[in-house]
Amino acid sequence: MPDSLRPTDIGPCRDSTEPCRILSRLSRAGLRPTRQRLDLGALLFRAGNRHVTAEQLHAEALAANIRVSLATVYNTLNQFRDAGLLREVVVEAGSTWFDTNIDDHHHFFHENSRHLQDICCTQLTLPDLPCLPTGTKVARVDVIIRLRDAE
C-alpha cells in the first residue's frame, strides 16, 4: 500500500481523498485507525459494493504488497462487521462472504463460479412470513437464491 495511506501521513483529513474517506469511515464506526484497518479498508471499500471472502481479501492484500496474515484479515473483517461497516453473508457452512452493501437486500449465489450477486430488495417480496414466537420481531430476512449453469 502506498505510504500516503498510512495514518501518520494522513493528517487532519480536511479533504475527500481516499485515505481520508477510509479514516473518516473508521472513526464514525468507533474503530481506531490502525495500519491494518486502513490498508484493508482501502482495498475493501475502493470501488462500489463488493462481496469478498477473507481469503480473497488476503490475496488482494498480498498482491498490493500489504504484509498481513490471514488471521488479521479475518479479525479485521469481523471488526468491520461488528462496527456495522460490513454485512456477513453465510452462503453455506464454511463459506462466509462479507458484503460492503449494508442495506437490506438479498443475493444470488452462482454455484459454478462461486460468485455472490445482489438482488435489489424491491425485486423480491415475502408477503406471508410465518407467525413469530411471542415477544420477538423480525430483525431482517436474508434470502440466497442458488443458481447453477444451465445444461
Side-chain angles (χ1 to χ4, degrees):
M1 163 155 290
D3 288 338
S4 63
L5 293 179
R6 302 288 184 234
T8 55
D9 297 336
I10 291 176
C13 266
R14 292 187 180 99
D15 59 33
S16 62
T17 63
E18 187 61 22
C20 288
R21 282 193 296 271
I22 300 300
L23 180 62
S24 176
R25 185 176 277 194
L26 293 178
S27 296
R28 282 192 314 267
L31 292 173
R32 192 168 57 86
T34 64
R35 182 183 57 82
Q36 289 90 353
R37 287 177 184 154
L38 287 167
D39 289 347
L40 294 173
L43 289 174
L44 193 58
F45 300 113
R46 68 179 175 219
N49 292 324
R50 303 182 62 204
H51 303 96
V52 297
T53 64
E55 291 78 10
Q56 289 170 337
L57 188 59
H58 183 247
E60 287 180 31
L62 295 178
N65 292 319
I66 298 170
R67 297 177 59 100
V68 64
S69 71
L70 181 58
T72 298
V73 172
Y74 269 106
N75 289 337
T76 301
L77 287 169
N78 287 322
Q79 291 162 356
F80 285 2
R81 179 207 57 217
D82 293 346
L85 297 174
L86 295 174
R87 186 171 171 179
E88 184 176 42
V89 180
V90 179
V91 174
E92 56 200 5
S95 181
T96 300
W97 296 73
F98 293 88
D99 190 348
T100 60
N101 179 359
I102 58 173
D103 296 330
D104 285 339
H105 66 285
H106 308 291
H107 293 94
F108 287 121
F109 180 66
H110 300 264
E111 291 182 340
N112 297 90
S113 63
R114 308 217 31 93
H115 172 75
L116 198 61
Q117 178 184 350
D118 287 347
I119 301 172
C120 176
C121 64
T122 61
Q123 292 181 313
L124 180 69
T125 58
L126 301 170
D128 296 317
L129 291 176
C131 293
L132 302 178
T134 304
T136 65
K137 66 178 184 174
V138 174
R140 152 178 124 200
V141 175
D142 294 319
V143 175
I144 298 175
I145 300 173
R146 298 169 184 280
L147 306 173
R148 287 193 186 130
D149 293 344
E151 296 184 22

